[in-house]
Amino acid sequence: MILLYAQAVAAVALLALSAAGLGRCIERILPRDSSQLDRIACSFAGGLGILGTVLFVAGQLTFTRAEIAAVLFIFAIWGVSPGLKIARYAASTWRSADVPKLAAATIAFVLLITAFAGLAEITGDWGNDAIAYHLLGPKVWLHHSVIRPVLDNCHTAFPQILEVLFGALMAIGGPRAPGFSAVLTFSVFLLVVAAVARRAGLDSRGAWWAVALVAAMPTVYAGGHTAFVDVFYAALVLTAARIGLDAQNRAEFLCFGVFAGLAMGTKYPGILAFAALLVCVVAATAQRCKPADLVRDLAIAAGAACFVAAPFYLRNWILLGSPIYPPPPVLLSIFHPKYMPADMIYNFQTYILQRGQGLGRGPLAFLALPFQLTYHTSNFHGAGGIGLAPLALAPIGMLASWRNGFVKTLALLALLLTVTWFVTQQESRFLIHVYVISAILAVAGWQRVLAAKNAAPRLLAAAVIAISIAYGCFMIVSGRRDDLHSVWSSRYAMQSRAEQIPFPASFNFLNRSSVVRNVLILDRSVPPYYLDKDYVKPIGQWGERVLPNIATPADALDKLQDLRVSHVLDVKSSAGGFQVATATPGLTLVFEAPAQRIYQVEKSVPKTNP
């Protein structure tokens, strides 16, 4: 196990150096008067995004372990110098007298938990997004040495900058490296939070407290580990805001557009976020820029954003028939998606709307959001909430910072992002960038309260901050208890693996048997991530139709000879019962366990439905 852990750590370290190397491209177009913190945060976040994009484009032709390693090593050499600069900056900052020790201890505690728990194996069933598609895509890409959508899971066609990096990490660091990489992406995210906090007017101590509050928000944390991409996406949106709201020349608008494009290349909501960012950039720069210059600069930003994000959307359009896949039903009259019937697209849209309805979509529900997100986060799949500080102190911080133009525009951005979130899918982790802004305002409010002469408000505000951080740390540790135990105890890890992996006996049989070449999976709930062999899954998790003229498991069994499979995996699950009838001609039962059967296909298979 120690070797597996060391391999994962080394792979993430190599990825960090590679990102630092590519980040030099971003640093060159940042404003000359940018602080060192701004340069490190922007270049690191941009370096990771550009690296994922470069590997994605190259992966359309080939995605082998040797080529991935070569790319990472080349950029890592370029990243040694900035990496040493970052290390020196971190050391000098830690020794600074302006560092509040409790805030620093909170951040260090969360990062240590992230690093240690990140070494655990990621397991789960088809309800775990990491297993269903975040890691399924990278595993299949490496198996076939090329990046292509996995047709039985439409989610693998989502924008995938971070998933490509997961694939690179799996190639050189093994299956545990993507989980451990959370310590890198979460650290970069916290650097961006600090940079935005300083620009919003907080002093050094205030920025540390803002970062501590964000790090200890359970909902934020849930979007940043176990191969989730929401924290990294939020970092890109916030970086785009940090640069765009102060942009004054073409280079800065270009840089703003690059980060907006990287956000669109990470998640589809980046498209709506870019629209909100454009509105805010216009509001922030209209008074200091001539209209003609502003139009030209916005065109540069939009062009850069579209250029950066284009590979992900063009690939989908060419291979799948729609740049957004699966497309919203409103786009079905324009695009004609392959492999997913219209009724399945409508069903998928219905599921999204039902899951994301929160506590309603009316005006009163919107006005009640601050209270509901604080106390009823489970209705938004909130995984623990955001703590008391934003609700209690952010309004005070907004009033105290009202003369700060950057803060006002940042608040406008938070409002626009919240509105788009409210009318689309109310999933709490999709609002991480707004929680960051609320935490910054909460610390601004706390600092204003500290200036009061009366001791009671100061004690009450300090108690709110302390409760928020203590509650958050408790929820974070509770949520990762099993991962921490698995890393510490190999026996517990084996027990957990047996409990959390569906149909483990069948996967063990198929992966270990030398005669298994290509497996037909009949049940849509079976996660192919655990299968190391080639497979065919004609009906996907969301009703995808992978093969023509096959709409049911019975159709697939009727065409076994055409499918060229060696074995059939048949299970009884929540999605349905066994599909293979007893004594089916051409199939020999070679393995059976509770709720799972494996059949070997004979060389000549008669059709079951003449």
Side-chain angles (χ1 to χ4, degrees):
M1 296 296 287
I2 298 298
L3 290 177
L4 291 176
Y5 298 158
Q7 185 182 6
V9 173
V12 173
L14 180 63
L15 183 72
L17 279 177
S18 301
L22 271 173
R24 299 174 74 169
C25 301
I26 296 292
E27 190 173 5
R28 291 178 179 178
I29 56 176
L30 289 173
R32 293 182 179 180
D33 58 350
S34 298
S35 68
Q36 193 169 3
L37 174 61
D38 284 330
R39 291 184 174 278
I40 291 173
C42 295
S43 61
F44 225 149
L48 283 171
I50 294 173
L51 179 60
T53 305
V54 169
L55 288 173
F56 175 83
V57 173
Q60 302 309 303
L61 300 176
T62 177
F63 196 66
T64 66
R65 286 174 168 81
E67 290 159 346
I68 292 169
V71 170
L72 292 184
F73 274 111
I74 290 171
F75 289 129
I77 294 172
W78 202 24
V80 171
S81 177
L84 293 175
K85 186 186 299 183
I86 293 171
R88 288 193 295 268
Y89 175 78
S92 63
T93 302
W94 183 259
R95 292 193 297 266
S96 172
D98 291 335
V99 177
K101 301 306 179 187
L102 184 57
T106 300
I107 298 166
F109 174 75
V110 173
L111 290 177
L112 284 173
I113 292 295
T114 305
F116 194 74
L119 292 170
E121 182 183 12
I122 299 175
T123 55
D125 57 17
W126 68 329
N128 184 331
D129 287 354
I131 298 301
Y133 67 98
H134 285 308
L135 296 179
L136 171 65
K139 182 173 181 178
V140 173
W141 303 337
L142 290 172
H143 184 73
H144 293 288
S145 300
V146 67
I147 295 179
R148 290 289 184 272
V150 181
L151 299 182
D152 58 77
N153 195 304
C154 61
H155 286 28
T156 60
F158 286 2
Q160 46 205 196
I161 283 178
L162 203 54
E163 283 87 349
V164 172
L165 296 182
F166 291 157
L169 288 169
M170 293 170 72
I172 60 175
R176 295 175 190 267
F180 184 74
S181 70
V183 72
L184 172 62
T185 51
F186 201 70
S187 297
V188 172
F189 166 72
L190 295 181
L191 283 171
V192 173
V193 173
V196 176
R198 290 305 305 271
R199 178 59 186 87
L202 296 183
D203 58 17
S204 178
R205 294 180 64 85
W208 275 94
W209 279 112
V211 173
L213 272 179
V214 171
M217 285 183 176
T219 293
V220 172
Y221 187 76
H225 67 82
T226 320
F228 276 74
V229 305
D230 305 275
V231 153
F232 181 66
Y233 163 73
L236 294 173
V237 173
L238 290 169
T239 306
R242 169 67 189 90
I243 296 170
L245 298 184
D246 284 336
Q248 297 185 29
N249 55 50
R250 295 180 185 180
E252 293 167 19
F253 276 95
L254 174 67
C255 192
F256 158 63
V258 167
F259 277 99
L262 292 176
M264 290 192 287
T266 303
K267 287 179 72 75
Y268 284 137
I271 300 172
L272 297 176
F274 183 42
L277 284 165
L278 283 176
V279 172
C280 293
V281 168
V282 171
T285 60
Q287 292 183 347
R288 64 173 182 263
C289 294
K290 295 179 180 180
D293 292 340
L294 180 57
V295 171
R296 178 205 63 200
D297 292 338
L298 291 177
I300 291 173
C306 293
F307 178 79
V308 171
F312 304 95
Y313 295 85
L314 288 177
R315 189 281 308 268
N316 282 356
W317 198 350
I318 294 170
L319 297 182
L320 303 174
S322 175
I324 299 175
Y325 187 88
V330 69
L331 295 180
L332 288 179
S333 60
I334 303 174
F335 302 108
H336 304 285
K338 304 175 184 178
Y339 312 111
M340 202 161 184
D343 58 333
M344 294 296 103
I345 292 175
Y346 281 104
N347 291 340
F348 178 72
Q349 181 74 4
T350 300
Y351 165 79
I352 292 296
L353 293 176
Q354 289 177 346
R355 176 178 171 86
Q357 66 184 349
L359 291 172
R361 300 186 187 275
L364 292 180
F366 182 79
L367 294 175
L369 275 178
F371 179 84
Q372 305 291 15
L373 287 169
T374 302
Y375 293 105
H376 297 108
T377 55
S378 61
N379 294 93
F380 306 95
H381 313 283
I386 61 175
L388 294 174
L391 178 63
L393 297 172
I396 301 174
M398 189 69 248
L399 292 174
S401 307
W402 190 247
R403 293 185 178 180
N404 186 322
F406 184 87
V407 172
K408 286 194 292 186
T409 315
L410 208 60
L412 174 62
L413 176 63
L415 175 62
L416 294 176
L417 291 172
T418 303
V419 169
T420 58
W421 171 88
F422 184 75
V423 300
T424 53
Q425 186 176 359
Q426 297 177 27
E427 186 100 7
S428 187
R429 58 189 168 88
F430 294 173
L431 211 58
I432 287 175
H433 27 43
V434 175
Y435 298 150
V436 170
I437 297 171
S438 71
I440 292 171
L441 292 174
V443 174
W446 181 32
Q447 291 185 330
R448 173 54 64 93
V449 172
L450 289 177
K453 295 181 180 179
N454 195 333
R458 297 200 302 269
L459 291 175
L460 184 60
V464 167
I465 298 292
I467 291 172
S468 295
I469 290 178
Y471 167 76
C473 289
F474 171 78
M475 293 298 295
I476 287 171
V477 173
S478 299
R480 309 228 54 190
R481 184 187 299 118
D482 288 342
D483 291 333
L484 293 167
H485 197 176
S486 295
V487 175
W488 183 260
S489 169
S490 57
R491 177 179 297 180
Y492 183 83
M494 293 178 62
Q495 175 187 341
S496 178
R497 194 176 195 277
E499 294 173 352
Q500 295 182 16
I501 295 179
F503 317 115
S506 290
F507 286 120
N508 286 337
F509 176 88
L510 293 169
N511 291 334
R512 293 174 181 175
S513 175
S514 59
V515 299
V516 176
R517 301 185 308 276
N518 201 338
V519 181
L520 171 63
I521 300 176
L522 296 174
D523 191 288
R524 67 188 185 92
S525 73
V526 174
Y529 172 74
Y530 299 109
L531 186 63
D532 298 334
K533 304 295 180 71
D534 288 328
Y535 74 91
V536 178
K537 191 178 182 184
I539 297 90
Q541 178 172 331
W542 297 100
E544 297 89 341
R545 299 290 185 263
V546 175
L547 299 170
N549 303 319
I550 295 182
T552 66
D555 294 339
L557 291 172
D558 188 44
K559 295 178 172 59
L560 281 178
Q561 195 71 33
D562 299 332
L563 296 179
R564 300 180 182 276
V565 296
S566 64
H567 290 73
V568 177
L569 173 60
D570 191 23
V571 302
K572 183 189 295 184
S573 72
S574 58
F578 287 119
Q579 301 295 323
V580 179
T582 305
T584 298
L587 296 179
T588 303
L589 182 66
V590 294
F591 178 84
E592 184 172 14
Q596 46 197 311
R597 296 170 183 168
I598 298 175
Y599 298 87
Q600 185 167 344
V601 181
E602 297 178 3
K603 292 184 178 181
S604 179
V605 183
K607 291 189 176 182
T608 57
N609 296 322

